[in-house]
Amino acid sequence: MRISEDIVLGSGKPVLFAGPCAVESFDICMEIGSFVKEYADELGFSYVFKASFDKANRTSTTSFRSIGMDKSLEVLQRIGKALDVPLVTDIHESHQAAEVAKVVDVLQIPAFLCRQTDLLLAAGQTGKAIKIKRGQFMAPEDMDFAVNKVRSTGNQNVCLTERGFTLGYHYLVVDMRALPIMRQFAPVVFDITHSVQQPGGMGGSSGGQREFAPFLARAAAAAGVDGFFIETHPDPAKALSDGPNLIPLNKMKEFLIMLKETWELGQKYRDFSVQ
């Protein structure tokens, strides 16, 4: 999947999609983006800045959603120019696709919406790279249909993202078999942050178990994924969304070192087969 002239997901260099969960302010985004870009460049990751312009799938109406679409997109545009990096953000409704595509390089389809035909078609028609998260209720092999919906528009620039499946209430489990299964259809990104999320696990908001993030990240890296999705924040306890499963910004360099070392080992054996 081509993201920019210099970044191609699935080309043999890991792509890192990282940033805050939501656009809180320009200053927060700039602090996070600057820090992550420095170490991504140093460690050999291609970097794409991520932040949601609207958190439309929050548990409660009292939860933070957005500073406003126009303000958020303006912040994203400024970050992209200041850091000279591509951008990714989510869209939730078909009518958002064209407007958001004017600002970002990658349109992300949230997991809950991966079956929404009109949304996938509208995203594909923008011609931008499309990143589809696997729904917590979807079998890995069924994501081929989501990919083909985008490709039916003539847009071949599409990838899939793994973030676990629902097992009981408030719990997600990652089946590592999903990674090679989905990679038959498109390049695959592993969502480290939301794989440790506990949807609705704190009553009116989602919880998370970030202590398990390193274990799942290493497992996915060893399995041979093409990229990683990480949300981070200088102070997760004060983040306006998804705080319990965000990686603290001061841990990101060490986290990325671990990730790159494991990914390189995974690449060495990715084509090994017992068939």
Side-chain angles (χ1 to χ4, degrees):
M1 181 182 82
R2 180 168 293 279
I3 296 170
S4 67
E5 288 188 12
D6 302 323
I7 301 177
V8 179
L9 184 69
S11 65
K13 183 177 181 179
V15 177
L16 176 66
F17 301 85
C21 180
V23 175
E24 299 181 9
S25 68
F26 174 79
D27 290 343
I28 287 289
C29 288
M30 192 63 185
E31 178 183 358
I32 294 171
S34 299
F35 187 97
V36 175
K37 183 179 188 296
E38 177 183 352
Y39 292 115
D41 290 346
E42 179 182 321
L43 296 169
F45 288 91
S46 295
Y47 179 46
V48 180
F49 179 83
K50 181 272 167 186
S52 297
F53 74 85
D54 179 25
K55 304 303 296 182
N57 56 353
R58 300 306 303 275
T59 303
S60 168
T61 55
T62 61
S63 297
F64 171 81
R65 276 190 59 170
S66 174
I67 60 173
M69 183 173 182
D70 291 342
K71 289 182 179 179
S72 293
L73 292 178
E74 181 185 352
V75 168
L76 287 172
Q77 192 167 43
R78 290 175 63 192
I79 292 294
K81 290 180 178 179
L83 298 179
D84 191 26
V85 295
L87 305 166
V88 59
T89 196
D90 315 79
I91 56 171
H92 296 85
E93 300 183 57
S94 304
H95 69 83
Q96 296 173 337
E99 183 175 356
V100 177
K102 295 175 184 177
V103 174
V104 306
D105 305 271
V106 183
L107 297 175
Q108 180 168 273
I109 307 298
F112 288 127
L113 301 177
C114 70
R115 285 175 57 100
Q116 296 299 102
T117 301
D118 289 345
L119 182 62
L120 290 166
L121 295 179
Q125 288 163 359
T126 67
K128 292 301 178 82
I130 310 302
K131 182 175 176 290
I132 311 171
K133 288 194 174 186
R134 182 175 75 83
Q136 301 91 325
F137 46 85
M138 292 284 287
E141 56 269 26
D142 291 343
M143 292 305 294
D144 187 25
F145 298 104
V147 169
N148 286 332
K149 287 180 182 180
V150 172
R151 288 179 175 161
S152 73
T153 67
N155 186 346
Q156 302 300 308
N157 254 4
V158 59
C159 73
L160 293 169
T161 298
E162 171 61 25
R163 50 92 32 98
F165 68 92
T166 301
L167 183 67
Y169 301 117
H170 307 316
Y171 285 97
L172 299 172
V173 173
V174 178
D175 179 359
M176 291 296 165
R177 295 175 300 177
L179 302 175
I181 290 172
M182 293 196 300
R183 205 170 182 278
Q184 298 174 84
F185 317 132
V188 172
V189 174
F190 183 63
D191 182 344
I192 295 167
T193 298
H194 295 98
S195 292
V196 297
Q197 186 187 54
Q198 294 175 305
M202 296 179 67
S205 62
S206 292
Q209 296 176 304
R210 78 165 64 92
E211 66 270 24
F212 295 122
F215 299 97
L216 293 179
R218 290 199 300 270
V225 293
D226 302 292
F228 302 92
F229 179 100
I230 307 175
E231 290 179 346
T232 181
H233 197 278
D235 188 351
K238 294 182 179 179
L240 298 182
S241 60
D242 270 353
N245 41 278
L246 301 183
I247 304 300
L249 189 60
N250 64 5
K251 293 285 187 179
M252 277 293 287
K253 182 179 181 180
E254 189 177 4
F255 198 98
L256 292 177
I257 291 171
M258 173 195 72
L259 207 54
K260 184 66 183 304
E261 290 178 353
T262 313
W263 183 84
E264 289 175 344
L265 182 63
Q267 291 298 294
K268 182 178 179 180
Y269 293 105
R270 191 172 69 180
D271 296 327
F272 176 78
S273 173
V274 294
Q275 295 293 344

